[in-house]
Amino acid sequence: AQSGTVAADPQQYDQAYLSPVTIGNSQLMLDFDTGSADLWAFSNETPASESVGHAKYDSSTGTELQGYSWSITYGDQSGAAGNVYADKVVVGGVTATKQAVEAATSISTSFSDNTDSDGLLGLAFSSINTVTPKQQTTFFDTVKPTLAKALFTCDLKQGNAGSYTFGYIDTSKYTGSVTYVPVDDSQGFWSFTAGGYSVGSDNATSGSVGVSIADTGTSLLYLPAAVAKAYYAKAGGKFDNQQGGYTLPCNGNAPDFNVAIGGKTFVVPGSYIAYAPITSGSQTCFGGIQANTGIGFNIFGDVFLKAVYAIFDVSQGAPRLGFAAQ
Ligand SMILES: O=C(CCCl)NNC1=[NH+]CCN1
């Protein structure tokens, strides 16, 4: 049975985390994304003007799936589209011999401009894979039958290399016990229900955060408008239309955000919520917590995930998420 581990290297401000992946004879840095289900890469089929500075998948090692195509748009309105190949994909020693690899023929500017990232490796449920006429499986779903345990884990860190594992849980990566919650995969996401919250030292949680997805592909933590408002009222922040979200002082006094999941309280340090100066050198920071207005559910992105050890587990039949403090 297979198992393995791969580094998750943070970009500036932990905006995304990149992991080395071998596809055919190409070595690329991909953004592992539990909020989507396509494995796509810059490729020899990507216009040169859109792929400056990126490593590219050389599709000559693959078998083209004739007439297949893909097209994806993400929550932040970025996107890409292209053709499909079957090729060997290796992640941390775990091998998929015939993985659907989606070669980009067009890519939005936010991906072209981010030269650290050579594509995405989707880890949401294959039910939202965009390949047509025949939907394809994610890397995790492809290798799942060969894994020692049908699960993968995510150990992201603030400003330091973390890791993803496939097929095993690294018990040295967390403290205390793991709290498991049921996952509703009906929309293709790792969706769970978060409970009460509190701000700063008062640890008695109140209110209810609600339906949320665990999404490594999203940088920030998107919460109900009322929860975001309550946080920034205590953090001395404000909603800044010009910045398009809440901002707060970068002065190191931001309060922690505490949220109950499965009856256990998890703490997002205030330092993660003073996310990044709005412009270089500014004493005003863009907030790591923002309102989920227009999304329809909460997104527990990297600002939350780098505070915990997360286990994406389908080994019990029904999918579940495990969270532990790190
Ligand atoms: O698209 C989403 C949000 C799903 Cl609700 N997350 N994944 C991702 N990948 C690139 C930007 N965002």
Side-chain angles (χ1 to χ4, degrees):
Q2 297 194 91
S3 65
T5 182
V6 68
D9 296 329
Q11 292 200 278
Q12 188 183 34
Y13 304 123
D14 305 337
Q15 180 248 337
Y17 292 80
L18 300 170
S19 299
V21 177
T22 303
I23 309 177
N25 292 334
S26 311
Q27 166 90 26
L28 299 99
M29 294 300 283
L30 300 185
D31 177 358
F32 286 20
D33 180 9
T34 60
S36 68
D38 285 50
L39 194 174
W40 70 263
F42 285 79
S43 72
N44 54 304
E45 300 186 7
T46 311
S49 59
E50 290 177 29
S51 48
V52 175
H54 292 272
K56 292 183 282 194
Y57 164 56
D58 173 359
S59 60
S60 66
T61 60
T63 303
E64 181 160 24
L65 305 187
Q66 296 291 342
Y68 284 54
S69 66
W70 60 283
S71 176
I72 194 164
T73 303
Y74 297 101
D76 61 3
Q77 299 318 302
S78 62
N83 304 311
V84 190
Y85 293 80
D87 209 337
K88 179 178 169 185
V89 175
V90 185
V91 175
V94 175
T95 298
T97 49
K98 279 195 180 55
Q99 170 64 38
V101 177
E102 303 171 29
T105 56
S106 68
I107 298 177
S108 66
T109 49
S110 64
F111 286 120
S112 295
D113 294 349
N114 180 355
T115 54
D116 296 335
S117 170
D118 305 320
L120 266 70
L121 187 144
L123 291 169
F125 291 87
S126 298
S127 60
I128 57 173
N129 173 267
T130 74
V131 173
T132 179
K134 197 162 168 290
Q135 198 169 52
Q136 301 296 304
T137 54
T138 65
F139 172 78
F140 174 59
D141 276 347
T142 305
V143 300
K144 190 167 57 178
T146 70
L147 291 178
K149 285 184 179 174
L151 59 84
F152 64 91
T153 74
C154 158
D155 177 26
L156 302 181
K157 296 194 173 302
Q158 188 193 40
N160 284 302
S163 58
Y164 292 96
T165 72
F166 290 87
Y168 79 103
I169 292 170
D170 183 342
T171 56
S172 75
K173 297 283 189 216
Y174 61 86
T175 61
S177 59
V178 177
T179 297
Y180 286 97
V181 288
V183 161
D184 165 15
D185 63 358
S186 63
Q187 303 307 305
F189 298 123
W190 291 90
S191 181
F192 65 100
T193 299
Y197 74 96
S198 68
V199 178
S201 51
D202 44 307
N203 52 19
T205 58
S206 63
S208 171
V209 168
V211 174
S212 308
I213 70 167
D215 182 6
T216 56
T218 290
S219 310
L220 306 182
L221 172 53
Y222 293 86
L223 298 172
V227 177
K229 186 166 186 251
Y231 177 82
Y232 288 106
K234 290 224 173 123
K238 68 177 184 354
F239 190 88
D240 180 335
N241 271 304
Q242 200 239 338
Q243 291 299 321
Y246 282 98
T247 61
L248 74 166
C250 306
N251 61 11
N253 298 335
D256 297 345
F257 178 77
N258 314 300
V259 59
I261 300 173
K264 181 102 174 309
T265 296
F266 293 92
V267 180
V268 180
S271 60
Y272 294 11
I273 302 166
Y275 175 69
I278 56 173
T279 46
S280 174
S282 169
Q283 270 308 304
T284 301
C285 274
F286 196 72
I289 286 173
Q290 295 295 335
N292 69 10
T293 311
I295 300 173
F297 44 80
N298 306 307
I299 302 184
F300 279 47
D302 300 331
V303 160
F304 173 81
L305 290 170
K306 65 190 176 185
V308 300
Y309 185 77
I311 303 169
F312 296 74
D313 182 351
V314 298
S315 69
Q316 309 296 304
R320 64 178 185 171
L321 272 168
F323 293 111
Q326 65 160 298

